[in-house]
Amino acid sequence: MSTMFFISLFDFFLPRFCPGCKQKLSAEQKYICDDCINSIPLATNSLIKIEYQRKFSDKKLISGFTAPFIFEKDKELQHIIHSIKYSKKFAVGNRLGEIIAEISGDEIKTWRIDFIVPVPLHHLKKANRGYNQSFYIAKGLGKSLNIPVNQSILKRVKFTQTQTALSLVERQENIGDAFKVKKTKTVKGKNILIIDDVITTGATLNECARILKEVGANKIYASSSAIAE
Ligand SMILES: [Zn+2]
């Protein structure tokens, strides 16, 4: 009997729902429905270039970044990310990582990444939530592109308040000295891809890149599911 048969049987007793629109998923849909995927606006190359200029170019820490989608408040992608963050939808996180690979994989391959590092959560936040949502996105991406994920390189040592309500300058101050590199030897001379769920100001990614470079990382790149303007 085919896997599809079992998925159909499973769906009959325990229907699966798309986290983006709450509609029932069909057997062949993998965690997120096609309607949702198709309605999330794609980040064009020119938008990525503009956002790179705004968030990363003057600091010269991040050598390149990519994100398949544009983040919109109260829309499908926000619901999808919330389901990973707050409802333990790990498979959805993995799927989002696969989608990043499908759309941005060719560019990421040109960066010759040695390993992927998800932006870490503070251990108190992690203890509270039980997991780091960016890790699952990183895992899906890494598996698709055959790049290892290293979760233990970076540690968050400062409990930062939620960044959302802060201005750009406040965010940069808030994030200062928030991270520590744990395995400096592993980092030396390596090209590292940092994964965050959504890129907002870029302050977190710049700070991660800064400390990784401080201990001898070669080039730091960044990726996320979406870019917020
Ligand atoms: Zn949907």
Side-chain angles (χ1 to χ4, degrees), residues 148-213:
V149 175
N150 197 320
Q151 226 206 145
S152 53
I153 293 275
L154 273 186
K155 198 181 167 184
R156 198 168 198 134
V157 289
K158 197 163 126 189
F159 192 88
T160 50
Q161 55 172 304
T162 303
Q163 299 268 90
T164 349
L166 305 177
S167 72
L168 178 59
V169 177
E170 284 171 331
R171 279 180 188 223
Q172 276 160 355
E173 282 167 7
N174 188 37
I175 207 76
D177 297 319
F179 301 98
K180 220 178 129 182
V181 182
K182 275 168 75 189
K183 296 178 179 167
T184 51
K185 266 190 197 153
T186 323
V187 169
K188 255 193 189 93
K190 295 295 183 353
N191 293 337
I192 301 168
L193 175 64
I194 310 172
I195 300 291
D196 206 351
D197 48 3
V198 176
I199 294 178
T200 48
T201 63
T204 303
L205 290 164
N206 274 319
E207 180 60 16
C208 289
R210 186 184 70 77
I211 62 157
L212 286 166
K213 289 207 131 183

Side-chain angles (χ1 to χ4, degrees), residues 65-69 100 104 137 194-199 205 222-227:
F65 105 94
T66 181
F69 299 115
I100 298 175
S104 313
I137 301 173
I194 310 172
I195 300 291
D196 206 351
D197 48 3
V198 176
I199 294 178
L205 290 164
S223 184
S224 68
S225 66
I227 179 93

Side-chain angles (χ1 to χ4, degrees), residues 18-23 25 32-37 76 80:
C18 170
C21 61
K22 314 286 183 269
Q23 299 294 307
L25 287 168
I32 303 168
C33 82
D34 298 340
D35 286 346
C36 278
I37 297 290
E76 296 85 356
I80 291 165

Side-chain angles (χ1 to χ4, degrees), residues 7-218:
I7 294 174
S8 308
L9 195 68
F10 187 76
D11 280 351
F12 179 77
F13 291 107
L14 237 166
R16 302 173 304 135
F17 295 93
C18 170
C21 61
K22 314 286 183 269
Q23 299 294 307
K24 220 174 127 178
L25 287 168
S26 64
E28 55 289 340
Q29 284 174 331
K30 286 165 81 185
Y31 308 106
I32 303 168
C33 82
D34 298 340
D35 286 346
C36 278
I37 297 290
N38 294 329
S39 54
I40 306 168
L42 286 167
T44 59
N45 286 339
S46 58
L47 178 85
I48 294 284
K49 265 194 198 128
I50 292 165
E51 292 297 321
Y52 179 81
Q53 293 290 333
R54 284 180 59 197
K55 298 175 205 268
F56 302 118
S57 71
D58 58 331
K59 289 217 162 25
K60 296 186 171 65
L61 295 164
I62 303 274
S63 299
F65 105 94
T66 181
F69 299 115
I70 297 171
F71 186 81
E72 296 176 307
K73 230 177 145 28
D74 301 322
K75 291 300 225 11
E76 296 85 356
L77 188 63
Q78 186 172 30
H79 302 317
I80 291 165
I81 289 169
H82 271 195
S83 80
I84 310 167
K85 246 173 144 164
Y86 306 111
S87 311
K88 304 190 175 178
K89 300 284 184 206
F90 306 135
V92 174
N94 262 305
R95 179 69 195 125
L96 208 49
E98 282 173 16
I99 293 168
I100 298 175
E102 282 159 22
I103 299 175
S104 313
D106 286 342
E107 188 177 5
I108 294 172
K109 279 181 200 158
T110 66
W111 297 339
R112 306 193 161 277
I113 299 298
D114 292 295
F115 53 83
I116 298 172
V117 173
V119 169
L121 290 180
H122 189 270
H123 67 93
L124 288 177
K125 219 179 235 177
K126 198 175 169 189
N128 189 18
R129 198 182 289 164
Y131 59 94
N132 175 4
Q133 75 279 0
S134 296
F135 169 68
Y136 293 95
I137 301 173
K139 244 177 77 176
L141 176 69
K143 202 175 170 209
S144 301
L145 299 181
N146 226 338
I147 306 169
V149 175
N150 197 320
Q151 226 206 145
S152 53
I153 293 275
L154 273 186
K155 198 181 167 184
R156 198 168 198 134
V157 289
K158 197 163 126 189
F159 192 88
T160 50
Q161 55 172 304
T162 303
Q163 299 268 90
T164 349
L166 305 177
S167 72
L168 178 59
V169 177
E170 284 171 331
R171 279 180 188 223
Q172 276 160 355
E173 282 167 7
N174 188 37
I175 207 76
D177 297 319
F179 301 98
K180 220 178 129 182
V181 182
K182 275 168 75 189
K183 296 178 179 167
T184 51
K185 266 190 197 153
T186 323
V187 169
K188 255 193 189 93
K190 295 295 183 353
N191 293 337
I192 301 168
L193 175 64
I194 310 172
I195 300 291
D196 206 351
D197 48 3
V198 176
I199 294 178
T200 48
T201 63
T204 303
L205 290 164
N206 274 319
E207 180 60 16
C208 289
R210 186 184 70 77
I211 62 157
L212 286 166
K213 289 207 131 183
E214 219 172 64
V215 296
N218 182 33

